[in-house]
Amino acid sequence: MSGDLQRMRYSIESVRAREEKLGAVMSAMTAVATLLALLSVVMFLGFLIFLGGDWLANAQSATSGVDQPVKSNFEVLLWGGAELAVSGGVFPAIVGTIVLTLVMTVIVSPLGIVVALYLTEYAGTGWHTRLLRIGIQNMAAIPSIIYGVFGLAFFVYVIGGRLDNLFFAGNLPNPTFGAPGLLWASLTLAILTLPTVIVATEEGLLRLPLALREGSRALGATRSETIFRVVLPAATPSIMTGIILAVARAAGEVAPLMLVGVVRYAPTLPVSVEAPFIHLEQKFMHLGFFVYDLTMHAPGSEGRVGIVAASGLLLVLVIATLNLAALLLRLRLRRTFLRTGFE
Amino acid sequence: MDHREALIAASTNRSNPSEAAPGIEVKGLSLTYPEEPNALTDINLSIPGGEVTAVIGPSGCGKSTLLRCFNRMNDMLEGCSYSGSIILNGLDVLDPATDVTALRRRVGMVFQQPNPFPMSIYENVAYGPRIGGVRRRRELDEVVESALRLAALWDEVKDQMNRNAIVLSLGQQQRLVIARAIAVRPEVLLMDEPASSLDPISTLRIEELIYELKQSYTIVIVTHNMQQAARVSDRTAFLNQGRVVEYDSTDKIFTNPAERATEDYITGRYG
Amino acid sequence: MFARDRRYLTDSLFGLLIRSTSLVVGLLILGMFTQMLLVVWPMFAAPSVSEQVFVAGMEPGTAAVPESGGGENPGEFADRPVTIDLPRKAVQLVLVPGDSVIAVETRPQLPATTPVRRQRLSVLEGAGALSFAAIDVAERYLLLTFKSGIFRLMSIRDDGHLESAYAGTLPAHRSVRPVPGGQSWVLVTEDALVQVHLVFLAAEASVATLRSMPVSDGIAHASTVSPDRRVLVATRSGEIRLWQLDMRKLTALDGLRGGARSVDWLSPVLFEVIYSDGSTRYFELASRLAEMSVNRLFFPVQFEGYSEPGYYWQPSATSDGFEPKTSLIPLLLGTLKAALVGLVLAVPVALGAAIFVGYYLSSRRREQVKPFIEVIASFPTVVIAGLAALWLAPRLIESLPEIVGGALALPILGGVALLMAKHLPTSVTRRGEVKVLPLHFLPGLVIVILVGAALGHWVEQWLFEGSLVTWLPEQGIAVQQLNSLLVGFILGFAILPTVFSLAEEAIYEVPRVGAAGSIALGATPWRSFQDVVLPIAAPGIISAVMLGFGRGIGETMIFLLLSGNAPGTDGSLFSGIRSLSATLAIELPEAAVGGTHFRTLFLGALILFALTFVINTLGHLIRNRILTKHRVSR
């Protein structure tokens, strides 16, 4: 009897030991996978900073003439120089990127907020609401190049072509809005980032308790009064987060722009000091496309690593700053709600 | 006491504070919505003005739904439909032509969870009057102060009117919400388990407040707490499965109920 | 009262605004699909014809077209010498058919730099009358065909001298129509149109039948081949049919009267029909759009000059008369190949990390580690791809064995450890399962990778004669610097956060109650993960992999910069590829709006769109099901 118990205890012990060893190995493997993922991030950032920073730290050496002041590579990157195949440097590209994302933000913010409001405050649970939700969920994962194709076909050729026929017939056959340009690129990016704004805003709106809306309605406020005076003010941080995330995503997109208006070199900036201040029909330069162009048309490929990394670093920094802002905003928002017990 | 009367006069539409608040006549009220076809069936109640009427009953019996009929909050539910009538001071509440937002200004409501808006204490109370079109600062100040005084919150918050309301304690929040409801000068106050999320001391303060408010408002309170119903109400309706089982004076209901079901519920056999 | 009315008006107006804007956005999503469909659709529509009526005397081409009605067909022998210009060689050949010989005169085009040469070609016995003479576009060969179907192919020396290269038999025919592009010709026989082409079989030039299109009721007359490679046929029964050379059908044209005797092109779209009663009418095709067929998009097609059917993507004309090749297969295969490589590389790392972060780490530590992996998603792919193209690409090929060795070292070590787990000494596993980020593993990790790299180097020395890069081509495997391995590698990095983030969430969302119960019964954390958490999280993990795949096939910049953009269908990891997405980015801005190329690209976009849409919808459906089933508020 005690022998059976002994044997049983022994076999349990051995199973347990085997299980423990298996667990140790498997958990170690998943931990290693995590380390590898982190390592890949560190390596990428390391290369970017090392290669880009190294190039930036160097000054333009032999190429400048004797009587010219030696330009730092930072200046070369910004304003252009002999080492840059593209004249003008990265400055107009930065301006282009900023103007593009600004126009995009102006378009996408109201649209995204309105759709999110519809989904949370107006829509019922009917099939069309579900369809809209599925559509928006899917929009987020549609390849960005498809948005470019759509932008070209619909905005540029259909809408732009109509506009030209209606208002700029005098310029035809030279297209005004019937060709790729800033407006269409902004619109394309706006649609591309629309799901980001919608999802973030919706999340913020859903986080607000129903009681808040009921409280307002019970005081005799109409639905729109409730939205404007209670719901939207309370959801502002989420909306801001959504918009910042959208801008961060848009700033890194290049593929769709290649179809709707980005160029290697634009002779003038899309903004000016005189009216109309912003030239929506112009083609523009873009930081991401600048990186692409430098890489694609690099004559001696290795020599270009530095400058590509430097301009890439610039782009990553811009996007990282935006993402960080969104992250902090969300953290603050979460803390506020935790304190108030809404969550 | 004329201080209180002045307060009440400032917080109601009635020029003569001693004039009784109007009663509510519920006749043959039934309510259905898709998930619950018999939410309320043939409810008949005559709720007297200037008194506290408690609605009790087990969970899911339709107490809150009934309460939400009085200010048509059920309209916000999808696919909800009424039959029968609720007459408030000559106005048919359930008539589709009834101006719902105007109705809600006559019938204030306090919810189970305190739901102050995430804005300042002042703005919370001024919210209703502002929507009602009160723009002048002085007028708003007066309304806010009298509402807060009436809700017995003034002394606690008068120095922090610009603080965000969500930093108040839950009991204070609930009194703030009552003040917010009072500030639109309603005739009826609906309270949906107003003390269920509060600690005993805050509950006591709310109950005292209800007792004071009943001089100027018709109050309908839904509660899960029998002792509370016995303490604060003049009349009690016992609801079960969407029907009124018994409706009588509170004393009668709690001491000598006519129905067996009422007795079972009150003595804690179920619920 | 007025104020109240205004409040209600505002409320209903605002509601209207919200609803209508949402409707517009919803329509926009639908619109994306329909818009592409609208662009693609005309490619598959049958050509339509409308009659053109001209004022008498103003008919087109009455002056220009010879009375034969056959248009300009310079190579045709019709009782006159045939003159052929060879602009590249700057000479002109004049062929004068005789009884049994053909006299050939080679005349210099520029003022007499070389003397006129004369040559006599003997005619094969029983060949019959000459039908046609033509040169190929490179001016290397002269093709002489006889009506009996016999042909001779002569190679042309630089001075214009002809040497016999090849002779053979084609179908007997009445006449020959050259096809634009100068490498193929359409033979008009009694009851079929036969396209023959100059093709190199085993490095030897020959002429062979490419396609043939039977005309069931016999051919009365066939037109020339239009620049859009279309032939019109008047049948014996007096009807007009259209053959687009690469279609496998004859299209009947509606709206034409019966009783046609002959037909010919006056422009790429305008044609005249002469009826047996002697009247002439003019008709116009609605567009120059070549009709597209599923066959041309997805099945192997034999093209002019190609010895075998195959999948080719060369959609735009580099020169006039170029035959467009629009197989989407190379693009699809390239996309899928790289995406799969990326998935194979990313999934083990992503899922391993997802398990560790979502299951082992505490909520607080999870929140600290997670963003550091998810940050990859915010790196612009153009920067990742740019760095990889300039820095990694040259090194990847050079040190492939070392990299493969280093990459394989960890999984091999892990596999060995797993197999040997039973026999591991207790001292190794004494500490139990890892529950915090083991940064102290890092040095060991680096050492293992370095050892793997060294082993890879050693294997290279030992097996591949010291250099894989030179060894592979010797085995017939082409090695390109920009290849699908590189694309997959970088794509793997790009989709890592997608797979990780979604899978991690699926694991984290599983309520811990079950796992805790299992642990309370004495199971190890890993055992309870495997038996309790994993089955619940599995659909979420599968959908994470699917969504990662969807992300991979839609990526553009990585393909654009790293794939070499060379369409191919081989399975080799060392050759370049061309993806659908990169093709859109490169070719769409340059494609003529509304042309076949433009519309074919839209079809590609539509396919990519549909592909990602299906993958995403499936992924989301799987995911939403699991989440609603098991979601517990934490």
Side-chain angles (χ1 to χ4, degrees):
Chain A
M1 192 62 198
S2 84
D4 280 355
L5 206 61
Q6 207 75 56
R7 256 202 303 283
M8 201 173 115
R9 186 171 293 158
Y10 174 75
S11 80
I12 288 178
E13 279 302 308
S14 78
V15 166
R16 172 137 198 109
R18 210 166 61 214
E19 285 283 292
E20 273 172 1
K21 285 169 185 168
L22 176 75
V25 170
M26 288 309 295
S27 68
M29 279 169 70
T30 60
V32 166
T34 313
L35 285 178
L36 275 181
L38 291 171
L39 210 60
S40 70
V41 177
V42 171
M43 272 174 64
F44 171 72
L45 281 180
F47 276 127
L48 197 64
I49 293 168
F50 175 74
L51 295 170
D54 186 49
W55 185 83
L56 281 179
N58 284 333
Q60 189 79 302
S61 49
T63 40
S64 12
V66 187
D67 44 330
Q68 276 176 327
V70 174
K71 280 206 259 184
S72 77
N73 268 353
F74 190 69
E75 285 173 281
V76 171
L77 183 66
L78 215 52
W79 308 110
E83 202 169 321
L84 234 59
V86 192
S87 54
V90 88
F91 176 72
I94 292 177
V95 174
T97 312
I98 292 172
V99 174
L100 176 72
T101 35
L102 275 183
V103 179
M104 176 215 81
T105 313
V106 169
I107 300 168
V108 76
S109 308
L111 268 187
I113 295 168
V114 159
V115 175
L117 278 176
Y118 173 75
L119 285 175
T120 54
E121 312 291 321
Y122 285 82
T125 45
W127 60 270
H128 52 280
T129 317
R130 220 170 315 147
L131 208 66
L132 186 62
R133 260 179 220 283
I134 291 176
I136 289 163
Q137 222 169 29
N138 261 297
M139 266 177 95
I142 290 172
S144 56
I145 186 79
I146 298 293
Y147 287 97
V149 172
F150 173 69
L152 183 72
F154 188 65
F155 294 141
V156 176
Y157 291 132
V158 176
I159 297 186
R162 293 273 149 78
L163 278 182
D164 273 5
N165 281 333
L166 285 177
F167 302 111
F168 303 96
N171 293 348
L172 288 175
N174 290 329
T176 311
F177 279 103
L182 183 62
L183 178 65
W184 305 134
S186 311
L187 260 173
T188 305
L189 283 189
I191 295 182
L192 180 104
T193 52
L194 191 59
T196 316
V197 178
I198 294 176
V199 168
T201 309
E202 202 191 344
E203 220 164 80
L205 294 176
L206 287 177
R207 207 198 296 265
L208 299 178
L210 185 67
L212 220 53
R213 299 170 175 95
E214 285 189 329
S216 167
R217 299 297 290 280
L219 289 169
T222 61
R223 193 172 353 209
S224 61
E225 282 163 346
T226 305
I227 288 170
F228 278 116
R229 289 165 183 257
V230 177
V231 173
L232 281 184
T236 306
S238 317
I239 297 173
M240 289 305 296
T241 310
I243 292 173
I244 293 176
L245 287 179
V247 169
R249 162 134 203 235
E253 281 296 348
V254 184
L257 300 183
M258 294 170 71
L259 301 182
V260 288
V262 77
V263 281
R264 261 188 103 183
Y265 174 68
T268 53
L269 292 179
V271 280
S272 59
V273 287
E274 303 141 29
F277 304 111
I278 183 157
H279 304 277
L280 289 174
E281 78 291 349
Q282 269 193 16
K283 291 189 169 54
F284 56 94
M285 290 171 73
H286 186 272
L287 199 49
F289 188 76
F290 184 85
V291 173
Y292 162 77
D293 190 61
L294 272 178
T295 312
M296 200 65 162
H297 304 112
S301 62
E302 279 267 353
R304 287 286 149 131
V305 172
I307 186 168
V308 164
S311 35
L313 189 62
L314 211 58
L315 189 55
V316 168
L317 277 181
V318 170
I319 292 168
T321 315
L322 287 168
N323 274 313
L324 199 68
L327 190 78
L328 292 178
L329 208 59
R330 216 174 330 165
L331 275 183
R332 225 196 73 189
L333 163 87
R334 195 175 296 170
R335 234 168 262 149
T336 322
F337 276 105
L338 279 180
R339 205 173 51 211
T340 59
F342 275 170
E343 227 180 25
Chain B
M1 212 46 205
D2 81 325
H3 162 68
R4 280 215 67 80
E5 278 177 12
L7 268 182
I8 291 165
S11 313
T12 61
N13 288 326
R14 298 182 292 282
S15 49
N16 177 8
S18 55
E19 182 188 322
I24 308 170
E25 286 299 321
V26 183
K27 286 196 194 105
L29 170 68
S30 296
L31 184 141
T32 64
Y33 51 96
E35 295 89 31
E36 185 89 60
N38 299 314
L40 294 175
T41 320
D42 194 26
I43 307 268
N44 289 291
L45 290 175
S46 174
I47 296 170
E51 283 190 14
V52 177
T53 304
V55 182
I56 61 171
S59 316
C61 71
K63 326 185 272 286
S64 290
T65 312
L66 173 63
L67 196 70
R68 286 162 161 261
C69 288
F70 297 138
N71 66 346
R72 299 260 306 262
M73 281 302 272
N74 286 324
D75 286 17
M76 286 168 80
L77 291 174
E78 232 175 304
C80 148
S81 70
Y82 309 91
S83 67
S85 69
I86 299 175
I87 309 291
L88 167 71
N89 209 2
L91 172 79
D92 186 356
V93 169
L94 298 184
D95 186 351
T98 300
D99 178 348
V100 179
T101 61
L103 167 74
R104 287 175 185 158
R105 300 184 71 79
R106 292 175 63 180
V107 183
M109 187 167 193
V110 174
F111 297 83
Q112 188 170 354
Q113 285 277 338
N115 58 348
F117 304 136
M119 45 179 95
S120 74
I121 293 169
Y122 182 92
E123 286 301 323
N124 260 283
V125 184
Y127 184 86
R130 267 194 213 279
I131 284 184
V134 179
R135 292 272 181 280
R136 282 209 303 276
R137 184 75 191 186
R138 178 171 305 196
E139 206 175 324
L140 277 176
D141 286 349
E142 275 170 21
V143 173
V144 169
E145 181 175 343
S146 60
L148 282 170
R149 278 187 192 279
L150 204 53
L153 192 62
W154 175 252
D155 294 332
E156 291 162 58
V157 299
K158 65 179 177 215
D159 300 324
Q160 38 181 334
M161 293 298 273
N162 290 323
R163 283 189 70 189
N164 197 324
I166 53 186
V167 303
L168 294 173
S169 76
L170 280 182
Q172 287 175 320
Q173 287 189 8
Q174 195 64 310
R175 274 179 285 142
L176 176 71
V177 170
I178 293 174
R180 191 175 69 186
I182 292 171
V184 293
R185 298 173 176 171
E187 295 155 23
V188 179
L189 262 184
L190 307 174
M191 298 189 167
D192 190 354
E193 308 201 23
S196 69
S197 60
L198 306 182
D199 58 284
I201 293 171
S202 305
T203 305
L204 200 64
R205 300 201 65 167
I206 297 284
E207 286 177 9
E208 281 168 3
L209 185 57
I210 292 171
Y211 188 79
E212 296 209 340
L213 290 174
K214 92 175 176 187
Q215 301 168 22
S216 31
Y217 305 100
T218 303
I219 296 177
V220 185
I221 176 169
V222 161
T223 179
H224 208 84
N225 180 335
M226 242 77 65
Q227 284 73 31
Q228 190 172 60
R231 279 196 300 266
V232 301
S233 68
D234 303 304
R235 297 179 74 81
T236 299
F238 172 56
L239 241 69
N240 196 10
Q241 297 185 332
R243 291 173 185 277
V244 176
V245 178
E246 196 171 349
Y247 175 52
D248 215 322
S249 77
T250 303
D251 286 347
K252 175 94 181 2
I253 292 269
F254 280 90
T255 53
N256 185 19
E259 298 285 333
R260 179 67 191 270
T262 317
E263 191 180 345
D264 283 352
Y265 179 72
I266 289 165
T267 51
R269 303 246 167 92
Y270 69 94
Chain C
M1 204 61 200
F2 172 71
R4 211 184 69 200
D5 284 349
R6 208 180 55 189
R7 277 178 60 205
Y8 293 174
L9 191 66
T10 315
D11 189 48
S12 42
L13 280 182
F14 185 68
L16 199 68
L17 176 81
I18 296 230
R19 281 165 209 275
S20 52
T21 312
S22 300
L23 186 71
V24 167
V25 169
L27 287 179
L28 208 68
I29 304 173
L30 277 180
M32 286 183 68
F33 191 76
T34 15
Q35 175 68 32
M36 284 179 211
L37 216 57
L38 280 179
V39 175
V40 170
W41 178 244
M43 272 201 313
F44 294 93
S48 68
V49 184
S50 58
E51 181 163 1
Q52 304 288 305
V53 182
F54 296 96
V55 181
M58 297 293 283
E59 290 94 341
T62 33
V65 180
E67 53 193 86
S68 71
E72 209 63 44
N73 200 355
E76 195 146 29
F77 290 94
D79 307 321
R80 57 187 161 90
V82 164
T83 321
I84 300 172
D85 287 331
L86 282 68
R88 293 184 189 204
K89 295 196 164 75
V91 293
Q92 187 181 46
L93 294 180
V94 180
L95 309 173
V96 187
D99 279 341
S100 58
V101 288
I102 307 169
V104 181
E105 259 186 46
T106 310
R107 296 178 185 157
Q109 288 252 294
L110 292 170
T113 45
T114 46
V116 173
R117 299 172 60 99
R118 287 196 176 75
Q119 193 180 350
R120 295 174 91 77
L121 302 176
S122 57
V123 173
L124 293 170
E125 201 65 41
L130 269 169
S131 60
F132 198 76
I135 51 158
D136 74 313
V137 70
E139 296 174 11
R140 286 170 61 199
Y141 296 97
L142 171 74
L143 172 71
L144 288 174
T145 59
F146 298 86
K147 290 190 170 165
S148 60
I150 289 173
F151 71 90
R152 288 189 72 180
L153 195 63
M154 323 284 299
S155 67
I156 311 171
R157 285 202 329 224
D158 276 349
D159 58 3
H161 187 75
L162 302 176
E163 284 167 0
S164 193
Y166 192 84
T169 322
L170 294 169
H173 54 272
R174 291 209 304 255
S175 56
V176 177
R177 309 282 188 230
V179 176
Q183 343 188 38
S184 77
W185 300 270
V186 171
L187 309 183
V188 183
T189 72
E190 288 303 319
D191 56 0
L193 295 167
V194 182
Q195 189 184 4
V196 298
H197 65 145
L198 182 69
V199 65
F200 293 85
L201 296 167
E204 210 168 312
S206 157
V207 175
T209 301
L210 180 62
R211 315 163 172 125
S212 78
M213 175 49 62
V215 181
S216 53
D217 38 2
I219 298 174
H221 178 257
S223 74
T224 51
V225 185
S226 83
D228 303 321
R229 317 175 82 76
R230 295 197 270 212
V231 185
L232 288 164
V233 184
T235 66
R236 288 254 160 74
S237 53
E239 279 158 24
I240 304 287
R241 304 265 166 79
L242 177 79
W243 186 36
Q244 191 182 301
L245 289 189
D246 42 22
M247 292 293 280
R248 283 181 179 172
K249 60 166 190 188
L250 277 180
T251 310
L253 295 176
D254 291 336
L256 303 180
R257 208 155 49 98
R261 194 183 62 190
S262 84
V263 58
D264 228 319
W265 294 107
L266 298 176
S267 86
V269 285
L270 188 68
F271 60 93
E272 61 168 9
V273 181
I274 298 169
Y275 290 92
S276 32
D277 60 7
S279 64
T280 306
R281 283 166 178 250
Y282 301 94
F283 298 93
E284 198 173 60
L285 284 170
S287 77
R288 294 189 59 174
L289 207 58
E291 202 179 338
M292 185 52 75
S293 68
V294 172
N295 190 52
R296 270 171 59 180
L297 292 166
F298 300 109
F299 291 95
V301 175
Q302 187 176 6
F303 291 103
E304 292 167 8
Y306 287 66
S307 55
E308 279 170 14
Y311 304 102
Y312 301 99
W313 173 260
Q314 255 175 296
S316 62
T318 46
S319 59
D320 271 353
F322 174 87
E323 188 176 31
K325 302 168 183 66
T326 53
S327 176
L328 291 176
I329 295 295
L331 309 183
L332 283 169
L333 281 184
T335 309
L336 295 181
K337 186 164 83 174
L340 278 178
V341 174
L343 216 54
V344 165
L345 292 175
V347 161
V349 178
L351 293 191
I355 295 169
F356 187 70
V357 175
Y359 181 73
Y360 281 109
L361 284 185
S362 68
S363 278
R364 201 171 55 86
R365 286 182 196 282
R366 164 180 180 265
E367 270 178 37
Q368 290 164 350
V369 174
K370 210 181 164 202
F372 280 98
I373 299 176
E374 286 179 333
V375 72
I376 302 174
S378 71
F379 297 152
T381 47
V382 68
V383 178
I384 302 176
L387 268 197
L390 298 182
W391 193 88
L392 184 64
R395 287 170 179 78
L396 182 75
I397 283 305
E398 281 303 315
S399 21
L400 195 61
E402 288 84 351
I403 290 174
V404 170
L408 282 181
L410 281 171
I412 288 176
L413 186 72
V416 169
L418 207 55
L419 286 177
M420 307 285 293
K422 254 191 287 198
H423 311 292
L424 283 178
T426 334
S427 59
V428 177
T429 60
R430 180 184 66 226
R431 291 192 196 168
E433 306 194 3
V434 189
K435 295 210 176 66
V436 289
L437 196 62
L439 288 175
H440 59 278
F441 277 19
L442 268 179
L445 205 68
V446 173
I447 289 172
V448 169
I449 292 175
L450 288 180
V451 168
L455 279 178
H457 183 72
W458 178 69
V459 167
E460 182 184 31
Q461 299 299 330
W462 180 53
L463 274 185
F464 307 121
E465 297 148 18
S467 169
L468 188 63
V469 189
T470 47
W471 184 82
L472 277 177
E474 283 165 22
Q475 312 306 310
I477 302 171
V479 177
Q480 280 146 342
Q481 200 184 60
L482 298 176
N483 53 47
S484 43
L485 186 67
L486 177 71
V487 179
F489 192 66
I490 298 303
L491 210 53
F493 180 61
I495 64 177
L496 178 70
T498 312
V499 181
F500 164 78
S501 187
L502 293 168
E504 196 271 347
E505 218 158 278
I507 293 168
Y508 183 73
E509 290 275 344
V510 177
R512 282 304 126 82
V513 192
S518 158
I519 289 172
L521 288 173
T524 57
W526 173 260
R527 175 58 56 196
S528 61
F529 172 78
Q530 206 179 319
D531 294 351
V532 181
V533 177
L534 192 60
I536 300 177
I541 293 174
I542 292 170
S543 97
V545 174
M546 285 175 69
L547 292 175
F549 185 69
R551 166 93 174 72
I553 57 175
E555 174 52 44
T556 308
M557 297 319 287
I558 289 176
F559 278 108
L560 210 49
L561 285 172
L562 298 176
S563 70
N565 296 319
T569 49
D570 57 11
S572 163
L573 288 179
F574 302 105
S575 57
I577 48 173
R578 186 184 185 95
S579 80
L580 216 44
S581 54
T583 305
L584 291 175
I586 300 170
E587 293 180 12
L588 205 46
E590 279 154 24
V593 179
T596 310
H597 183 197
F598 185 81
R599 291 176 199 269
T600 311
L601 287 173
F602 267 78
L603 182 68
L606 197 63
I607 289 173
L608 190 60
F609 183 54
L611 213 59
T612 46
F613 199 88
V614 168
I615 291 174
N616 291 326
T617 309
L618 277 181
H620 279 304
L621 283 180
I622 294 173
R623 201 177 153 67
N624 288 347
R625 228 195 71 215
I626 171 97
L627 285 187
T628 47
K629 228 166 95 184
H630 294 284
R631 177 161 256 152
V632 167
S633 58
R634 288 171 163 275

